[in-house]
Amino acid sequence: MNSREIFIAFWTIVVKEVRRFTRIWPQTLLPPAITMTLYFIIFGNLIGSRIGEMGGFDYMEYIVPGLIMMSVITNSYGNVVSSFYGTKFQRHVEELLVSPIPNWVILSGYVVGGVSRGLGVGLIVTLLSLFFTDLQVHHLFVTVGTVLLTSVVFSLGGFINAVYANSFDDISIVPTFVLTPLTYLGGVFYSIQLLPEFWQGVSMLNPILYMVNTFRYGILGVSDINIVFAFGMLLVFIVALFSYSLYLLQNGKGIRA
Amino acid sequence: MTAALSIRNLRKTYDNGFEALKGISLEVQQGDFFALLGPNGAGKSTTLGIVSSLVNKSAGEVEVFGHSLDSDKAKAKTCLGVVPQEFNFNQFEKVIDIVITQAGYYGIPRSLARERAEFYLKKLGLWDKRDQVSRMLSGGMKRRLMIARALVHEPQVLILDEPTAGVDIELRRSMWSFLREINAAGTTIILTTHYLEEAESLCRNIAIIDHGRIIQNTSVRELLQQLNTETFILDIDPPQGAVPSLNGYPAKLDDDHTLVVEVEKNQGLSRLFQELAEQRIEVRSMRNKANRLEELFVSLVDKNLATEATR
């Protein structure tokens, strides 16, 4: 395939993916909007007004970046894991396998599909947050860069989960038992400065803490962690997960006999 | 001339240790209408799965129009169109979107993909259903949708794994006529089928695979020449209470009006009719007991079963 044909094939996958999650918007775009609005009302307004300040900001201002990031993470991951597993389950992954598309293009197409949903939901949540607080972007590059790289990382994670999954149960195990606890413990609702020293150290092992804090730095200008280190970690994750996903595709793990 | 498909010493052992292919080799020439036959579990679908890149091979080489599946995979895949046995399209997509999306995977621009989708969906009688969600189609329509999808990038070789399984007779005939048409236009067709009448009617060359080995690879004509015995069913009058004695023709009665006679190739039918006439038995009508290829297929597979048992 020449570069034009490769681009058409890539774009076909992206369009198919975006069409999928927009077609089923009551399952994909509406729930995070409702959930996050409830978070804003309950944690931000009702409880937050009694908490006062966190990290030098109103509690509502403090949790908004974390909640946006939480939506981006769960939706990027959820989009790729459910879409690619569905593709396997209905066997139309064979449409891709018989075609001449290089594996890296298949992977990139699914990742861009996941990033599109992650960013789409992130934008919806951001717009909703404006009803509750004034959002100032402290550092545009850091804000956009973090959200983009994070959604790539979790789209790749969703892809790997889908490759290994053998049932619909398998695609909900990681989001329920790994992603949600790590996100809640990743400083979405609190600064790790509030924790005892030991638990601060434990928290530093949670990669989501770095993503949430880097994004919060982009918006508020405050962070519990080193921003440069966080960006480096995101890039390392992307390279490692992309390479491993390609290896799985190359070997036909879970998709070829 | 380069072969449309060349398979050399192809082997496949599954993870559970089952050896599905034990080193098969075969060639399909350009423009051929080729059947790969065999009983269930013989290795037909594994062979086509490897050729279509849906199954990883254990050893051997596959070339499509001279392009190796190992070193020139993209070109080899572009030459192939695949219609699998099981429905494998998105059940929630519209018919036209399934065909256009598949074209996109081959790098075909959307405007051209739409033109081709219209052409093939019209050809296969699905144009009226283009905006319908695919799961709402009947079984026959789903099968035709997979054919349209496989043809949208205009491949040189079309592989069909049991394309008419579960399809009614009328639709089967119309699919045969469509396949003949595209074969006449130059597309090489390779199919597997359990309907041996289908293979006899459509194909010029046949390979029979059993227990992972090719046990026969020749033209339909040559294969049929190997058939030594044919079984005829005669509707006779008057009714017979016992099997008439027909010198040299083994016979039995299905009922008092129906006589089943085995005729060897060198015996001919004239003497049989003479024998019956001498006994004042009139033949009202006559037909072959089974499809000729079917008889041969069963005898070859039985013979191979005996060989496998001694290995």
Side-chain angles (χ1 to χ4, degrees):
Chain A
M1 292 179 99
N2 60 36
S3 53
R4 183 166 177 262
E5 289 168 334
I6 285 178
F7 179 75
I8 290 172
F10 164 75
W11 194 243
T12 302
I13 300 174
V14 173
V15 168
K16 177 176 73 89
E17 285 302 291
V18 171
R19 208 170 52 204
R20 190 194 76 89
F21 74 73
T22 49
R23 189 179 57 215
I24 52 169
W25 63 270
Q27 294 171 48
T28 53
L29 304 178
L30 192 56
I34 293 172
T35 313
M36 290 305 152
T37 304
L38 290 172
Y39 274 123
F40 291 142
I41 293 171
I42 297 166
F43 290 99
N45 264 1
L46 302 179
I47 300 175
S49 58
R50 291 174 181 238
I51 291 174
E53 283 195 349
M54 178 83 65
F57 292 89
D58 275 356
Y59 189 62
M60 173 69 95
E61 275 182 282
Y62 189 83
I63 64 169
V64 163
L67 290 174
I68 293 171
M69 204 49 140
M70 191 159 103
S71 327
V72 170
I73 288 171
T74 49
N75 281 279
S76 304
Y77 192 93
N79 194 70
V80 183
V81 75
S82 60
S83 174
F84 196 72
Y85 180 70
T87 303
K88 265 174 60 174
F89 183 75
Q90 288 192 57
R91 298 183 57 170
H92 54 94
V93 68
E94 293 178 2
E95 292 176 336
L96 290 162
L97 298 179
V98 300
S99 75
I101 314 182
N103 288 330
W104 66 268
V105 177
I106 296 176
L107 181 58
S108 306
Y110 273 91
V111 167
V112 172
V115 169
S116 305
R117 178 165 149 196
L119 296 187
V121 170
L123 184 65
I124 290 170
V125 174
T126 306
L127 293 175
L128 284 170
S129 73
L130 295 177
F131 287 102
F132 300 91
T133 184
D134 288 329
L135 213 56
Q136 307 286 329
V137 177
H138 178 261
H139 203 304
L140 188 64
F141 172 78
V142 174
T143 307
V144 174
T146 313
V147 80
L148 199 62
L149 294 181
T150 302
S151 62
V152 171
V153 167
F154 285 95
S155 296
L156 286 165
F159 185 86
I160 293 169
N161 187 170
V163 167
Y164 279 103
N166 290 316
S167 69
F168 282 100
D169 288 342
D170 293 345
I171 65 171
S172 62
I173 287 172
V174 175
T176 309
F177 296 105
V178 181
L179 280 189
T180 306
L182 286 183
T183 309
Y184 276 74
L185 298 171
V188 171
F189 296 102
Y190 58 88
S191 163
I192 59 165
Q193 310 295 340
L194 299 179
L195 301 175
E197 205 169 317
F198 172 77
W199 291 109
Q200 281 188 30
V202 172
S203 295
M204 296 301 273
L205 299 173
N206 177 0
I208 293 180
L209 177 86
Y210 295 83
M211 299 167 192
V212 168
N213 270 280
T214 311
F215 188 64
R216 182 173 286 134
Y217 174 80
I219 291 183
L220 302 178
V222 293
S223 167
D224 291 338
I225 49 94
N226 182 315
I227 303 303
V228 178
F229 176 80
F231 267 103
M233 186 196 71
L234 279 169
L235 291 173
V236 169
F237 269 128
I238 288 173
V239 171
L241 294 175
F242 196 90
S243 309
Y244 188 60
S245 302
L246 262 190
Y247 164 80
L248 292 174
L249 266 180
Q250 210 74 35
N251 284 283
K253 170 78 186 166
I255 50 176
R256 273 197 206 103
Chain B
M1 189 165 60
T2 316
L5 176 67
S6 169
I7 294 175
R8 285 187 296 276
N9 201 25
L10 192 62
R11 290 178 179 276
K12 173 67 186 175
T13 306
Y14 285 97
D15 288 344
N16 61 6
F18 174 67
E19 202 179 358
L21 297 178
K22 298 167 181 167
I24 68 162
S25 298
L26 64 90
E27 283 209 344
V28 178
Q29 297 308 319
Q30 290 185 29
D32 201 355
F33 208 134
F34 189 93
L36 188 60
L37 307 179
N40 285 331
K44 306 182 297 286
S45 294
T46 300
T47 306
L48 295 189
I50 291 171
V51 173
S52 323
S53 304
L54 298 176
V55 175
N56 289 333
K57 64 185 164 71
S58 302
E61 284 172 53
V62 177
E63 284 181 3
V64 185
F65 275 83
H67 304 295
S68 164
L69 265 187
D70 293 320
S71 56
D72 201 2
K73 200 168 195 159
K75 278 191 179 150
K77 283 177 160 186
T78 306
C79 295
L80 285 173
V82 182
V83 182
Q85 207 176 115
E86 310 277 347
F87 302 131
N88 70 343
F89 45 78
N90 189 337
Q91 304 280 328
F92 302 102
E93 289 270 359
K94 287 182 193 168
V95 166
I96 193 152
D97 289 338
I98 288 171
V99 181
I100 291 176
T101 299
Q102 187 69 12
Y105 293 161
Y106 287 81
I108 296 168
R110 198 171 168 81
S111 55
L112 180 58
R114 181 163 264 284
E115 258 174 47
R116 287 193 190 168
E118 181 175 345
F119 176 77
Y120 286 107
L121 289 176
K122 279 183 176 167
K123 269 269 176 211
L124 287 152
L126 288 172
W127 184 242
D128 292 345
K129 307 282 180 192
R130 65 188 177 279
D131 290 324
Q132 208 167 86
V133 175
S134 63
R135 72 172 183 279
M136 306 304 284
L137 299 178
S138 68
M141 287 176 183
K142 286 177 178 170
R143 226 157 259 288
R144 281 181 281 156
L145 168 59
M146 293 202 295
I147 296 178
R149 185 187 61 179
L151 288 170
V152 74
H153 67 285
E154 306 200 324
Q156 290 158 287
V157 182
L158 181 65
I159 291 179
L160 303 115
D161 197 358
E162 298 191 27
T164 53
V167 167
D168 69 45
I169 294 171
E170 195 184 344
L171 186 57
R172 192 182 307 165
R173 300 268 165 190
S174 80
M175 276 168 75
W176 287 5
S177 118
F178 176 72
L179 293 176
R180 279 196 192 98
E181 193 184 316
I182 59 169
N183 178 244
T187 307
T188 306
I189 297 182
I190 301 169
L191 62 82
T192 72
T193 179
H194 277 122
Y195 301 113
L196 299 182
E197 171 207 3
E198 184 164 271
E200 187 175 348
S201 161
L202 290 173
C203 301
R204 284 186 283 282
N205 292 296
I206 281 181
I208 298 177
I209 184 167
D210 190 26
H211 286 91
R213 289 190 172 83
I214 300 280
I215 57 172
Q216 195 67 242
N217 184 5
T218 181
S219 67
V220 174
R221 198 185 172 139
E222 279 175 29
L223 198 60
L224 289 174
Q225 279 172 1
Q226 293 178 23
L227 198 62
N228 277 324
T229 311
E230 272 189 88
T231 307
F232 291 95
I233 298 175
L234 311 179
D235 186 15
I236 54 171
D237 195 54
Q240 303 291 306
V243 182
S245 164
L246 302 168
N247 194 18
Y249 293 97
K252 63 173 186 173
L253 276 172
D254 261 6
D255 57 53
D256 57 4
H257 272 99
T258 312
L259 184 66
V260 181
V261 186
E262 283 185 14
V263 181
E264 281 183 20
K265 202 158 66 179
N266 56 4
Q267 282 182 306
L269 291 170
S270 307
R271 203 161 59 76
L272 171 66
F273 284 114
Q274 209 177 329
E275 293 266 349
L276 289 166
E278 281 171 9
Q279 295 178 48
R280 296 183 187 284
I281 299 172
E282 194 184 331
V283 178
R284 292 269 171 95
S285 65
M286 182 177 88
R287 65 182 192 277
N288 270 61
K289 185 186 176 191
N291 169 273
R292 295 176 301 161
L293 191 58
E294 197 163 304
E295 286 188 26
L296 187 60
F297 175 80
V298 170
S299 85
L300 284 168
V301 169
D302 283 349
K303 206 188 295 177
N304 185 55
L305 192 64
T307 317
E308 284 290 328
T310 59
R311 279 183 206 276

